[in-house]
Amino acid sequence: MNQQTGTIIGISGNMLTVTFEGTITQNEVGYAVHGDAHLKSEVIRIQGNKAFLQVFESTKGLKVGDTVEFSDELLSVQLGPGLLTQIYDGLQNPLPELAEAHGFFLPRGVILDALSKGRKWHFTPLVQKGDKVRKGYYLGWVPETQFKHYIMVPYYLEGELTVESIRKEGDYTIREIIATVKDEKGQMHDVSMYFEWPVKLPVKAYKHKILPTQPLVTKARIIDTFFPVAKGGTYCIPGPFGAGKTVLQQITSRYADVDIVIIAACGERAGEIVETMREFPELIDPRTGKSLMERTIIIANTSSMPVAAREASVYTATTLGEYYRQMGLDVLLLADSTSRWAQAMRELSGRLEEIPGEEAFPAYLESRIAEFYERAGMVELYNDEKGSLTIGGTVSPAGGNFEEPVTQATLKVVSAFHGLSRERSNARRYPAIHPLESWSKYESFVLYDTVQKARDFLKKGSDVHQMMMVVGEEGTSLEDFIIYLKSEFIDAVYLQQNAFDPVDAATNPERQKYVMNQIYEILGSEFQFSDNEEARTFFYDLRQKFIDWNYSEWKSDEFNSQEKSIKKLIEGKKKHA
C-alpha cells in the first residue's frame, strides 16, 4: 500500500470528498479506513488538492476526519487461469468463497483473491529462450475445463521483448515465475501465470479489428433469420418487466455458437440472479454434455448490492471477455441490465452536482454507453488466429417506453435491436421479440428475398388485423383474410419457439433455411377456399402440422413423414392453373 493518504471532509451517500497532498490519479483505487475494515473506492474526479471518490460499499459509520489510503493502482482485475466456472461480484470477489468464509450476510471491507493462489496448473511452454515476443503473445498454456488457457505476455509490457528464460513443462501455481523477458531498454520483467489489468482500459494486444460479418448462430429462429447478430457484433434487448429478457438471455447463452459466456448481472433483482446462479450449474451444455457452467463466468451485482459497484461490474465483465478473446475464442457478454448501470451513473452524477441531461441522466450518458459497446469486436491476433467478443445488453425502460434516454442512447451504437413487446408477452408468443419494430444491420444466412417476403406478409397481416378490429371478420374480404392467416401462420410456426421442448428450443441453420424455404412456397401459393371459415380451418390444420414438425428431430423418419403430410395438405387446397 502506498503511503499517500487523504482526509475525508465530506460524505454524501456513497461519495466521499477527500483532501490530499502530493499526487493521485484519476480512477485510482483508495481505501476508506473504518476500524479494521478498508472500504474500497475509486477516484472519479480531482479538483486541485480535493478528490471525489465513489465507495463500492456502504459508507455507514464513516465520518469527517477519517483517513483514506491511496493505492497508486487503477481499478483492476486479475487475469489468469481459474476464471471459468466462477461467480464474482462487481469487484471480482468470488461470492461462493465469501459466503463460505462469512455466511450469507457479507461484512464490509472484505477482499478475497479472484484466483486461487495455491492451485497448481500443468504448464506447457510454447516459446524458447531468445524468441521475440510482444504483449499478448502466448508463452505457454494450461488446461482449463475444455479449453487451452494461454499464458500471455502481460498487456502492460510495450515494444518488442526477448525471452530470457522459460520454465519447463510441469505443475506450477499462478504466483510462480514461469518466464523472464527483456524489453528494448534492457530491463528484465518476470512473468507469472496471471497479471492485473485496469478494467476501464480496452485491451489492444492484437493486429487489428475486423468488420463483423460472420453470423453468430443463436438457434433462435426469429433472431437468426430476421434479426441476426454477427460474431463480434453488438445488440440490445429492450423490453418491459416480465417480457422475457432474462429467459431469452439464458437460452442464448446455452445454444449460441460461442466458446465462453459471461453474464454481467448489473443491478437486476436478486431473485433473478439467484435463479441464474442455481440453474446454470444444473444446465447441460449441448456442445459437451457437461455443465454449462464450465464455460461460463457470472458477475453478480444485484439491485440490493451497493449501487456504485454496478458500474464496476460492467467493466469487469468486459475486461474478462477481452481477455478470453485474446486466446482466439468467441466470447458472448450478456449485460443485464444496462438501465441499472445507467441509473448508477445518474445517482453518482447527482452527487457530483453535474449539470443533468434528459431525465436527470448525465450529459455523458451516450458516450459512456458507446465506450462500453465499442469494446466488442472481432480481432485478428498476432498469430493470425481470430477471436471475437459479442456484447448483448438488455434495457429495462420504465413502462416499456423505448423513447427514454438509455434505450435511445443504446440504439445509436448497437447494430441489432431485439425489442420485446408487452402485447406478445401477454399473448404468450415467445420469444416476445416484436417482428415489426425490431431490426438488424447484419446479414442473415437465409436468403434476403425469402426473409423480405415473410416480413411483407407480417406487415400486411398486421394492417389487415387492425382493419378487422374495426369492421370485424365478416367485413373482411377473403383475399385480405388469407393474408392475415398467412401472417399468423408465420408467427406461430417460425417466430415462436418452445424453450422447454428439447428439439424446438434450438434450431440449427440448415433446418432454419430448409423450413423457411417451405414457408416461402406457402406464402407464394394461391389457395382455393369457398369462404373465410374454410380458409381458417385449413391454416389452423397446417399450423398444427408445422408445430408438430418443429418438434420432430431434424431429418428423422418422423420429420420426413410429417413433411409428406404437410405437402399433401397443401396440394389438396392449392389453386392450380
Side-chain angles (χ1 to χ4, degrees):
M1 192 79 68
N2 189 16
Q3 295 301 311
Q4 180 72 31
T5 61
T7 303
I8 298 174
I9 61 170
I11 303 173
S12 175
N14 70 313
M15 193 185 74
L16 306 180
T17 307
V18 178
T19 58
F20 64 94
E21 293 181 2
T23 304
I24 62 172
T25 310
Q26 180 81 4
N27 300 123
E28 182 175 337
V29 173
Y31 294 90
V33 181
H34 178 63
D36 294 332
H38 286 64
L39 309 183
K40 196 170 187 176
S41 57
E42 179 189 17
V43 176
I44 54 175
R45 179 187 288 179
I46 302 171
Q47 291 179 343
N49 69 334
K50 189 187 295 183
F52 298 88
L53 289 81
Q54 66 171 344
V55 184
F56 295 117
E57 304 196 60
S58 170
T59 56
K60 183 178 179 181
L62 285 179
K63 60 185 182 298
V64 171
D66 282 352
T67 300
V68 172
E69 297 176 348
F70 294 100
S71 65
D72 197 29
E73 297 175 350
L74 299 181
L75 184 64
S76 303
V77 290
Q78 295 179 356
L79 301 176
L83 291 168
L84 293 182
T85 74
Q86 291 283 8
I87 301 172
Y88 294 115
D89 68 3
L91 301 173
Q92 215 193 8
N93 290 308
L95 288 177
E97 291 179 27
L98 271 175
E100 186 178 335
H102 301 283
F104 293 106
F105 297 96
L106 307 180
R108 292 184 297 165
V110 176
I111 299 173
L112 295 182
D113 285 322
L115 301 172
S116 171
K117 298 297 193 293
R119 179 178 175 181
K120 291 202 170 184
W121 298 85
H122 188 75
F123 174 75
T124 303
L126 294 174
V127 295
Q128 298 175 344
K129 181 180 179 180
D131 285 354
K132 302 295 184 182
V133 295
R134 304 181 74 87
K135 62 181 181 182
Y137 270 53
Y138 303 155
L139 298 174
W141 63 275
V142 300
E144 183 183 23
T145 64
Q146 68 254 37
F147 302 104
K148 280 187 176 182
H149 186 116
Y150 290 103
I151 307 303
M152 297 178 234
V153 177
Y155 307 144
Y156 53 77
L157 295 178
E158 297 292 342
E160 188 175 70
L161 305 150
T162 305
V163 178
E164 290 297 310
S165 68
I166 184 76
R167 285 287 192 105
K168 297 178 181 178
E169 181 176 350
D171 297 330
Y172 308 98
T173 66
I174 63 171
R175 286 181 180 270
E176 294 181 67
I177 305 302
I178 54 100
T180 303
V181 296
K182 182 171 69 175
D183 63 22
E184 293 168 335
K185 296 179 181 178
Q187 188 174 352
M188 296 291 187
H189 301 273
D190 290 334
V191 179
S192 63
M193 287 197 206
Y194 84 104
F195 59 93
E196 296 189 355
W197 181 254
V199 295
K200 294 186 179 178
L201 292 182
V203 175
K204 295 182 178 179
Y206 48 79
K207 282 184 182 178
H208 52 261
K209 272 192 174 182
I210 306 169
L211 186 68
T213 55
Q214 183 182 349
L216 172 65
V217 178
T218 67
K219 296 188 178 178
R221 293 188 291 263
I222 189 171
I223 295 176
D224 291 345
T225 302
F226 289 87
F227 313 111
V229 178
K231 285 185 177 180
T234 56
Y235 68 100
C236 70
I237 311 174
F241 291 107
K245 293 190 294 294
T246 303
V247 173
L248 183 58
Q249 280 199 331
Q250 291 189 9
I251 292 172
T252 305
S253 61
R254 186 176 185 184
Y255 294 111
D257 182 23
V258 293
D259 300 305
I260 307 291
V261 177
I262 300 175
I263 297 175
C266 45
E268 279 302 289
R269 294 187 298 273
E272 290 185 10
I273 311 306
V274 170
E275 183 182 340
T276 299
M277 287 193 276
R278 284 180 175 168
E279 283 190 3
F280 262 67
E282 304 298 325
L283 291 176
I284 300 301
D285 184 355
R287 298 172 61 176
T288 64
K290 300 178 181 179
S291 169
L292 184 63
M293 200 67 199
E294 286 196 0
R295 58 184 182 94
T296 303
I297 306 171
I298 298 176
I299 311 294
N301 196 90
T302 68
S303 55
S304 57
M305 290 179 174
V307 172
R310 293 181 192 175
E311 186 187 24
S313 65
V314 171
Y315 292 112
T316 295
T318 310
T319 305
L320 298 183
E322 289 176 323
Y323 177 61
Y324 278 99
R325 178 176 66 182
Q326 287 295 129
M327 299 181 199
L329 299 175
D330 295 317
V331 184
L332 175 63
L333 167 58
L334 301 171
D336 187 15
S337 132
T338 56
S339 292
R340 304 290 172 266
W341 169 47
Q343 286 169 10
M345 280 192 278
R346 177 168 63 183
E347 181 173 320
L348 182 62
S349 177
R351 296 191 190 283
L352 288 171
E353 298 181 1
E354 296 174 332
I355 297 174
E358 189 179 354
E359 292 190 21
F361 283 102
Y364 49 78
L365 174 69
E366 288 188 10
S367 62
R368 287 286 178 84
I369 290 176
E371 286 170 5
F372 165 59
Y373 283 102
E374 282 167 1
R375 291 176 72 168
M378 177 170 279
V379 299
E380 184 176 346
L381 305 172
Y382 292 127
N383 62 358
D384 297 328
E385 293 289 324
K386 293 182 177 65
S388 69
L389 171 59
T390 308
I391 296 181
T394 67
V395 187
S396 307
N401 174 27
F402 290 174
E403 300 302 315
E404 58 88 41
V406 181
T407 306
Q408 288 301 308
T410 304
L411 291 181
K412 290 178 181 178
V413 295
V414 297
S415 295
F417 166 66
H418 301 160
L420 299 185
S421 162
R422 170 63 69 194
E423 293 177 6
R424 290 182 65 81
S425 176
N426 289 343
R428 299 293 184 266
R429 298 188 176 196
Y430 293 114
I433 298 172
H434 199 295
L436 300 180
E437 293 181 3
S438 304
W439 50 262
S440 174
K441 298 177 183 177
Y442 301 117
E443 286 189 14
S444 169
F445 48 68
V446 179
L447 290 175
Y448 174 81
D449 291 343
T450 305
V451 176
Q452 197 56 43
K453 190 178 189 70
R455 280 185 180 146
D456 289 343
F457 266 93
L458 289 169
K459 178 69 173 67
K460 290 175 184 176
S462 176
D463 293 342
V464 173
H465 179 65
Q466 297 299 321
M467 181 186 69
M468 287 170 57
M469 298 282 282
V470 178
V471 302
E473 186 182 316
E474 59 278 0
T476 306
S477 67
L478 179 58
E479 182 180 357
D480 284 344
F481 191 60
I482 290 174
I483 291 175
Y484 166 72
L485 290 173
K486 284 183 176 181
S487 73
E488 287 291 290
F489 168 73
I490 302 167
D491 194 334
V493 306
Y494 202 85
L495 303 188
Q496 297 175 48
Q497 248 172 298
N498 185 351
F500 298 100
D501 184 83
V503 176
D504 195 39
T507 307
N508 63 49
E510 293 76 21
R511 182 167 187 161
Q512 289 188 43
K513 287 187 278 190
Y514 187 81
V515 173
M516 198 63 204
N517 286 335
Q518 307 304 313
I519 292 174
Y520 180 81
E521 287 187 21
I522 292 170
L523 297 180
S525 299
E526 292 187 30
F527 296 97
Q528 186 72 48
F529 301 117
S530 58
D531 54 25
N532 289 1
E533 186 60 36
E534 185 181 0
R536 181 194 292 107
T537 302
F538 168 77
F539 276 102
Y540 278 12
D541 290 345
L542 184 63
R543 179 179 68 181
Q544 191 55 53
K545 286 184 179 294
F546 252 87
I547 291 173
D548 293 340
W549 197 31
N550 288 339
Y551 291 167
S552 58
E553 290 282 355
W554 170 239
K555 293 297 185 183
S556 65
D557 291 341
E558 183 186 358
F559 178 92
N560 296 330
S561 174
Q562 192 67 17
E563 184 179 3
K564 290 178 182 177
S565 176
I566 289 169
K567 288 184 175 180
K568 183 178 179 182
L569 178 64
I570 293 170
E571 286 300 318
K573 285 295 179 181
K574 190 182 288 188
K575 185 185 291 185
H576 298 282

